Amino acid sequence: MRSRYLLTFALLALLHTVGSTAEVLVEAESFEQHGGWQLDTQFITEMGSPYLLAHGLGRPVEDATTEFKMDEAGEYTVWVRTYDWVARWDATGSPGRFKIRIGNQELANDLGIAGKDWSWHRAGQVKLTAGTHSMQLQDLTGFDGRCDSIYLTTDATQEPDNSSEMLSPFRRRLLGIEHPVEIKQGYDLVVVGGGYSGMGAAISAARMGCKVALIQDRGVLGGNGSSEVRVWAMGHIRRGKYPRIGEIIEEFADSATKSPGRAEEFGDAHKEEVVRSEKNIDLFLNHHAFRLSKEGDAIESVDAIDTRTNAVRRFEGALFADCTGHGTLGYLAEADWNMTPGGRMGMSNMWTWDEVGAETSFPETPWALPLNMADFPYPRDHHGQWFWESGFDQDPLGDAEGIRDWNLRAVYGAFNAMKNGDGAAEHRDAVLTWIAYIGGPRESRRLTGDVVLTQQDIVNKREFPDGCVPSTWSIDLHYPKEQYAQKFPDNPFISIAEHDRRIDRQYGYPVPYRCFYSRSIPNLFMAGRCISVTHEALGTTRVMKTCGMMGEVVGKAASLCTQHECQPRDVYQDHLSELIQLLELPGKAFRETVTSPITVPDDALPKAGPYGPETLGTASLPGVVVDDRQADLKGKWTEGDGLKGFVGSGYRYASANSGAQAVFTLKATEAGQFQVRISWLPHENRGDHVSVSVLQATQAPLATTVNMRKPAAEDGFAKLTTLELKKGDVVKVVIDSADAGGTVHIDAAQLLPVKK
C-alpha cells in the first residue's frame, strides 16, 4: 500500500535533532495565515520554492502568522532565506525590508536589505522553551519584501544549505518528506496549466467522456485572464469552418470593460465553478508540475508539488496536455522545441491608480527607476495598459523574477514622478490602487508539431485538411518603443505593437490540428502560446480566446485517442473525419464515457454562422434580406460587432466624406407590393443626414436622407419607400458617406411584403 502524505500547515514546521543540535525549518508558504502577504509561485523553477511577497503598493501589509512546536528548549539562531530585490541593479535603498517576531520577541536584524541573489540571512537569536510558539512576518515598507523559509538551529555556526534545487535533500530532511509520493492514477488526460487553453482542454475532454486531471500552479484559474493579471480575453470565437468551437470558452470568458479591468470582471469564482461542475475533472489548484517520468519517448507520469504544503503528488495518465504557456511539460519530456533568439516579446505587469478627492502622500522611491513624466506614456483613464512591458530578448524562464521586478521598478518610478516629481502638482490626490505582481508573459518556448505554422501560411490562406481553430487577431508583435527606450536601452519597459493586418478577422484563419501535438513525444498535446508556430505566427495565435479554442480541439482529440487506444498523431492520420464530427457538436454536448451515446442538452447554444453568432439571422427575418457582408462596397469600411442587435454576424461603418459607398442588391422572389427598408444601429457619433438612394429599372429613383443617431424603428428597420414589383425585379439601395454629418453605419437591407 502506498503511503499518503499527512502534511498540514502545522506539521510543516518539524523538529530534528542531530547529535546535540536541534533544528527546525518553517516554509513561509505554509504559514497558517498569510495576512496581507501574497503566495508567489511564479519562480519556483528559478529559486526552488514558492515564497511570500509583501505586495502592499507602498503600505506595509498585515502580518503573516503561524505556530510551530519546539520539543527542546534552547537558544536558537534564526536564519531567513531572502534577498534585497533591487540590489542586482545597485539601486539606492532596500524597499523589501521586513522583520521576524517569535512570540513576543522581535528579532534584532532587518531582513531583505542585502544580497543580489536568494540566500540565507541571520535574523537574530531567540531563547525558546519547549512547546508551541507563534511566528510573524512583519512587513516594514509594503514594497515587495519576500520570504522563502525560516530556519532555527541551536548550532550558531550552522548556516543552512542554499540550494535552489526544488525539494533539496536539506529541505526534504527537515520537512520529513522522505515517503513515496501520493499516486493519482486512472486519468485519460492530464492537463498542466489552468489558463484558457487548459480549461478548454479539460472541459472539452471531460464532456466527451475522458477522466481528466487539471493541474494549476496558482490558486485561481484563467492565467492571464484572471483577476491576478487582468488581461481581457481577445480573439473572436464561434466562427470559421467549425463555428461550434468556442462555445465552451463562451461559458467562462470574461467580459471586462478594459484591460486591466476590475478584479470582479474576471470571474475567478465562476471559472472554478464551471470546472468543478464537471464530474470527470479532478482539479488541483496550487500545484506546480516540476518533473516527469517516461517510458521510452512517451510520458508516463507527472509530479507536482502542492505549493502550500510541499506534498508531492504523481499524476499517471495515458495522455498529457502542455497548456503551461512556456512549454514546460514538453521541455521536461525533452520534446523538440524552439525559442526565438532575437526580437522576442516581453512580459507585462499592468497597474491602476485613482483620484480620491483629498491630498495623499506616497513614499519616495530612490530604488525605483529614476523617471520624469516625459519618460513614460501618461496612464490615461487611470490605468497602465499592456504596453508596460519589458524583458525583450532577456531570459523569460531563468530570470522571469528579474523581468517582473524591473516592471515593478518602472511602475513605482512612474508613480513617484506623478506624486513626488515633476507631476506632483497635478496628482496631489492620486493613489496607487493595483499592480499585477503576477507577470503576463507573451513568448518563450514553442513546442514543435508535425506542422509549424508560419506567417506566410496565414496571410496566403494556405489550406490544411485539419485546419480548425479560427485565429482572428492580427499578427501582433511587440517591440520596445524608441522614444521611451533611450533612457534604459538595455531593458526598455514600454512597448509598441506592430500589426500585420492581412488576417480575416471575422472568419479567421483555420490553425491546423497538427500544431497541437508534439512530433517527438507521442502522447503529448499542447494548446496555448506553446503550440507549433513560428515567432511571427505566434503574433496572431497567442490571444486567450483563440488559445482556449485550441484546448477544446485537444480535449475532443483526446477522447478519440482514448476511444481508439491511439496517439494524437493517429487522430490526424486515421480518425480526422471523426474529429470533425466532434467539432460539429455543441460545446455542452456530453457523454458519460468515450463510448457512451452523446447527449445534447436543451440549453445548448444555437449554432453560429461562419462569421460569428448571429443576433438576427437573415433566414429568420421575413421577405428578402441582404446582410452588409453581401453588399458591394467601395472605399474603406470597418467591421464591428460591439453594438448588439445587428443582423447577421456584425455590421460595418465608415467616416463621413471618406468616399465609402455601399450598394445592396435585392431581388423580388414573387410579385407584389414591398416596403424597401434598411437597418442601422444608432449612436451619437452617427451621421444625421446620411444619403440613401433607391434604384429600380422601371420606376423613378428615390433620393433621401436618414438620421442614424436615432433608432431605425422598433424592429430595427427604417422604411424608405414602397414599390410594386414583379417576380425577379431587382432593387438597389445605395448608401453614401458624402456629407453624412457623422459616421455612416450599414447593417442590412430588406424587401418586406406588404400584407393585403
Side-chain angles (χ1 to χ4, degrees), residues 485-673:
Q486 296 175 6
K487 197 167 185 176
F488 300 98
D490 293 336
N491 194 0
F493 62 88
I494 297 295
S495 70
I496 187 172
E498 294 186 3
H499 295 266
D500 182 338
R501 302 187 186 276
R502 294 175 291 173
I503 304 291
D504 185 339
R505 296 201 63 179
Q506 294 303 313
Y507 184 86
Y509 177 79
V511 180
Y513 163 73
R514 282 171 290 170
C515 295
F516 305 152
Y517 63 82
S518 169
R519 73 181 183 189
S520 54
I521 304 299
N523 63 339
L524 179 62
F525 287 105
M526 56 267 195
R529 290 187 295 109
C530 58
I531 65 165
S532 183
V533 294
T534 63
H535 162 75
E536 292 79 13
L538 178 67
T540 177
T541 60
R542 64 184 174 81
V543 292
M544 283 181 289
K545 288 185 179 180
T546 304
C547 291
M549 289 188 287
M550 299 173 195
E552 291 189 34
V553 173
V554 162
K556 288 177 167 59
S559 75
L560 292 176
C561 291
T562 304
Q563 180 181 351
H564 295 293
E565 298 183 354
C566 67
Q567 301 291 17
R569 178 180 285 117
D570 301 322
V571 172
Y572 171 72
Q573 294 178 341
D574 302 324
H575 306 287
L576 183 58
S577 62
E578 294 174 70
L579 177 60
I580 290 172
Q581 290 176 11
L582 295 184
L583 299 183
E584 296 279 14
L585 289 174
K588 287 195 173 183
F590 68 92
R591 56 188 175 189
E592 295 296 321
T593 69
V594 295
T595 58
S596 300
I598 292 173
T599 299
V600 177
D602 293 338
D603 62 346
L605 290 171
K607 186 177 181 179
Y611 296 97
E614 296 185 345
T615 304
L616 291 171
T618 56
S620 67
L621 295 171
V624 177
V625 179
V626 174
D627 187 39
D628 63 278
R629 193 166 294 281
Q630 283 75 52
D632 294 322
L633 303 177
K634 175 185 175 182
K636 182 180 179 182
W637 292 89
T638 301
E639 293 184 271
D641 59 6
L643 297 175
K644 302 308 177 185
F646 48 78
V647 174
S649 57
Y651 50 78
R652 296 168 197 255
Y653 53 92
S655 299
N657 300 310
S658 63
Q661 185 183 80
V663 179
F664 291 86
T665 301
L666 301 155
K667 186 175 182 179
T669 57
E670 59 184 347
Q673 198 175 46

Side-chain angles (χ1 to χ4, degrees), residues 48-158:
S49 174
Y51 61 80
L52 291 187
L53 179 77
H55 188 59
L57 311 183
R59 297 179 292 275
V61 304
E62 182 184 350
D63 292 354
T65 62
T66 196
E67 291 187 343
F68 63 99
K69 185 178 180 182
M70 302 298 294
D71 290 340
E72 184 175 319
E75 185 170 13
Y76 288 83
T77 299
V78 182
W79 297 84
V80 177
R81 193 166 188 252
T82 185
Y83 73 115
D84 180 354
W85 66 271
V86 300
R88 65 161 72 191
W89 297 290
D90 297 322
T92 300
S94 299
R97 291 181 296 113
F98 67 99
K99 297 185 81 71
I100 297 287
R101 175 181 289 273
I102 297 178
N104 60 2
Q105 302 178 67
E106 184 178 280
L107 301 191
N109 298 331
D110 282 3
L111 300 160
I113 61 172
K116 298 183 179 182
D117 299 298
W118 283 95
S119 61
W120 292 96
H121 297 254
R122 191 188 295 264
Q125 290 184 302
V126 61
K127 290 184 177 180
L128 297 175
T129 61
T132 299
H133 299 271
S134 63
M135 180 182 292
Q136 295 88 37
L137 298 182
Q138 296 180 316
D139 174 34
L140 300 178
T141 68
F143 282 123
D144 300 283
R146 51 204 73 182
C147 178
D148 172 15
S149 299
I150 302 96
Y151 173 68
L152 298 87
T153 176
T154 54
D155 183 351
T157 65
Q158 178 62 45

Side-chain angles (χ1 to χ4, degrees), residues 668-726:
T669 57
E670 59 184 347
Q673 198 175 46
F674 295 85
Q675 289 184 5
V676 182
R677 312 200 308 165
I678 61 171
S679 68
W680 67 82
L681 294 173
H683 193 275
E684 59 186 12
N685 70 359
R686 299 281 186 257
D688 59 356
H689 48 280
V690 177
S691 297
V692 182
S693 300
V694 179
L695 308 176
Q696 207 283 318
T698 63
Q699 303 186 47
L702 169 73
T704 187
T705 61
V706 297
N707 184 354
M708 290 188 171
R709 296 177 187 175
K710 296 182 178 181
E714 286 187 8
D715 64 353
F717 283 82
K719 175 186 171 183
L720 301 175
T721 187
T722 300
L723 297 177
E724 190 76 35
L725 300 175
K726 298 177 183 178

